[in-house]
Amino acid sequence: VSTQSTWGFKQDNSNIRMRIAAARQFATTLASVKPYNILFFGREEYARVALYTLLNHENAKSLIKRVHVVAPGATGSAGEALHEFLKSKDIQKFTFRKQFKAVENFIKTEQDRKSLPFDLGIVSSFGQSIPEKINTMFPQGVIDAHPSLLPKYRGGSPIEHALLNKEKSTGISLLDISHNKPYAGKVMISKECGIEAGDDYLSLAGKCGVLAGNALADVLLDLGKFRSEAKLPEESLICPAAPLIELKDAILLWDKLTSAEAVRKYIALRGSPRPSFSKVLLKSEWKMVHFDQIKEENDTKSEYYKKVLAPMDKVATPGVLHWSYKGMKDKICIKCKEGWVSAELVQMEGSARNESASNFIANKLKNTHYDETHSFNFRLALTKDITKLVEKIEIQFHSLSTLSLIHISEPTRRYAISYAVFCLKKKKQK
């Protein structure tokens, strides 16, 4: 049935009725949604952006009654950004420093109040799987906002691995977690995003975080429907994994990396909880050093490359630093397995901030001799050096006859900050 509108256009009444019915159904659904009390487990930039997007969604007030956040202490730029965001939004944060028993007690305390118990848990780049005992404490279960298109890149560092593998796109998957199997729940919704040429960890984490926050709002609007339609991701033997990148994986080994590979690794880890770093031998001691603003220096049209770096390319040892006051005083050049990279900023172990290449040379290397090519007579750590450091520790360990454990750090601590205290007794000399 059609009628003539006052503007002279024909209208389809059946289509109008359908639109009105759909609008009424949406309004009824929105009104019937119970605002959730959410406990959000998250860390890093991806979690911060996802939570920010969710809380600023147009339906946030009808979907969310309150949010508490379980997060590690504010360490690194990503941790500090999350901490500042929660502070600005006046969101209560439970700092996760001990075993999950502390989290369990925190939830029980809130439930005992009976006024505002938690309905739903949301996990977003938390770095650890949530124990089943805690999963079952939420009446509405737990949702995992994983930053990859599952089954690709299961694991603790999906964003970094997508960049390392030069993927053209990635995305997010919202899973209904069950039985404490990380990344193995049913996928309720997936969203894809492209990876641009200039993307690094921070920019890609931000893109994925926006997708995750909007997807969470969509799912919370009709959680029952999304759960009923959720499916297990199709398994494939060729899907790449994304194991957690630990401190030992972030080191730049110049004898193993070409200039392109070094820059790619730097970009993939820049801004992440495990940024790339190197080791430098100063005064018979290996020191950690972070290079920033790393770029390739293999431009054959560059006069400096043609006259200085290219002639040295085949004879210079990987890990050698090169600097010239006249030619390139604002950058330090580093020899790779193939080619050169440059770094504009440097941060030494123990320093609170980055310093320019020229300041680093003036302050840290002022008494260090360099040859006529301005290549310093010390170099950065290579694979064999790291192996020797490990062997040295093992030799010292096995030379001890008595070993008594006094204290060990919490099993939930990350590899890089785990520790143990021993009482040692050396062997008697015969």
Side-chain angles (χ1 to χ4, degrees), residues 36-42 46-47 50-51 54 63-64 119-126 128-131 134-147 150 172-190 211-228 230:
Y36 293 101
N37 295 312
I38 296 173
L39 188 59
F40 187 93
F41 297 80
Y46 167 71
L51 183 58
L54 174 61
L63 295 174
I64 302 169
D119 304 307
L120 179 71
I122 296 178
V123 182
S124 175
S125 281
F126 189 58
Q128 302 178 53
S129 60
I130 309 300
I134 291 181
N135 279 351
T136 56
M137 298 178 78
F138 299 98
Q140 297 295 330
V142 180
I143 298 172
D144 182 7
H146 185 70
L150 292 170
I172 61 99
S173 303
L174 299 191
L175 296 92
D176 184 15
I177 295 178
S178 60
H179 306 298
N180 190 33
K181 294 180 180 179
Y183 330 115
K186 291 183 177 181
V187 176
M188 295 186 287
I189 188 173
S190 295
L211 285 179
N214 287 323
L216 282 167
D218 293 341
V219 167
L220 294 181
L221 191 61
D222 200 346
L223 185 56
K225 175 190 172 185
F226 278 96
R227 277 199 165 129
S228 64

Side-chain angles (χ1 to χ4, degrees), residues 393 396-397 400-409 418-426:
I393 294 171
Q396 291 175 344
F397 179 83
L400 303 167
S401 58
T402 306
L403 186 65
S404 230
L405 177 64
I406 297 176
H407 174 70
I408 191 167
S409 63
S418 298
Y419 65 90
V421 180
F422 296 91
C423 176
L424 309 175
K425 183 179 179 182
K426 291 185 177 180

Side-chain angles (χ1 to χ4, degrees), residues 290 292 345-347 352-356:
H290 289 274
D292 205 358
L345 299 174
V346 187
Q347 183 179 7
R353 64 186 67 181
N354 287 337
E355 57 185 334
S356 66

Side-chain angles (χ1 to χ4, degrees), residues 11-256:
Q11 299 184 96
D12 189 342
N13 287 346
S14 61
N15 188 34
I16 293 174
R17 292 192 192 98
M18 289 176 63
R19 290 184 180 182
I20 293 173
R24 285 176 177 170
Q25 184 179 2
F26 176 78
T28 303
T29 302
L30 195 60
S32 63
V33 170
K34 175 186 175 183
Y36 293 101
N37 295 312
I38 296 173
L39 188 59
F40 187 93
F41 297 80
R43 62 188 186 97
E44 304 177 15
E45 181 69 2
Y46 167 71
R48 183 189 71 82
V49 177
L51 183 58
Y52 175 87
T53 305
L54 174 61
L55 295 178
N56 286 279
H57 193 273
E58 59 183 355
N59 297 325
K61 290 184 178 179
S62 60
L63 295 174
I64 302 169
K65 194 166 189 177
R66 67 160 184 165
V67 175
H68 281 201
V69 173
V70 178
T75 56
S77 59
E80 291 171 3
L82 176 61
H83 175 75
E84 290 301 320
F85 164 69
L86 298 178
K87 188 177 178 181
S88 68
K89 292 289 185 179
D90 197 26
I91 297 174
Q92 182 177 342
K93 175 186 174 185
F94 177 77
T95 303
F96 179 76
R97 294 187 183 277
K98 300 181 180 180
Q99 296 179 351
F100 271 107
K101 186 67 178 176
V103 180
E104 183 182 333
N105 292 336
F106 171 70
I107 298 172
K108 283 182 178 178
T109 301
E110 294 296 313
Q111 288 177 336
D112 290 342
R113 295 178 181 177
K114 295 183 180 179
S115 55
L116 292 171
F118 294 112
D119 304 307
L120 179 71
I122 296 178
V123 182
S124 175
S125 281
F126 189 58
Q128 302 178 53
S129 60
I130 309 300
E132 185 177 0
K133 190 172 184 179
I134 291 181
N135 279 351
T136 56
M137 298 178 78
F138 299 98
Q140 297 295 330
V142 180
I143 298 172
D144 182 7
H146 185 70
S148 82
L149 294 171
L150 292 170
K152 289 183 72 174
Y153 295 117
R154 296 182 188 272
S157 300
I159 295 175
E160 295 94 320
H161 282 283
L163 289 167
L164 285 169
N165 293 338
K166 299 189 288 186
E167 295 284 359
K168 299 298 182 183
S169 65
T170 184
I172 61 99
S173 303
L174 299 191
L175 296 92
D176 184 15
I177 295 178
S178 60
H179 306 298
N180 190 33
K181 294 180 180 179
Y183 330 115
K186 291 183 177 181
V187 176
M188 295 186 287
I189 188 173
S190 295
K191 298 285 184 181
E192 185 176 3
C193 74
I195 300 178
E196 306 298 328
D199 277 331
D200 61 6
Y201 170 84
L202 283 178
S203 64
L204 189 55
K207 286 193 213 176
C208 291
V210 171
L211 285 179
N214 287 323
L216 282 167
D218 293 341
V219 167
L220 294 181
L221 191 61
D222 200 346
L223 185 56
K225 175 190 172 185
F226 278 96
R227 277 199 165 129
S228 64
E229 296 176 356
K231 297 179 180 179
L232 289 170
E234 295 182 4
E235 296 299 328
S236 173
L237 296 176
I238 61 173
C239 284
L244 184 67
I245 292 179
E246 299 179 348
L247 194 67
K248 61 183 177 61
D249 305 314
I251 190 168
L252 294 169
L253 295 171
W254 305 101
D255 58 329
K256 296 292 185 183

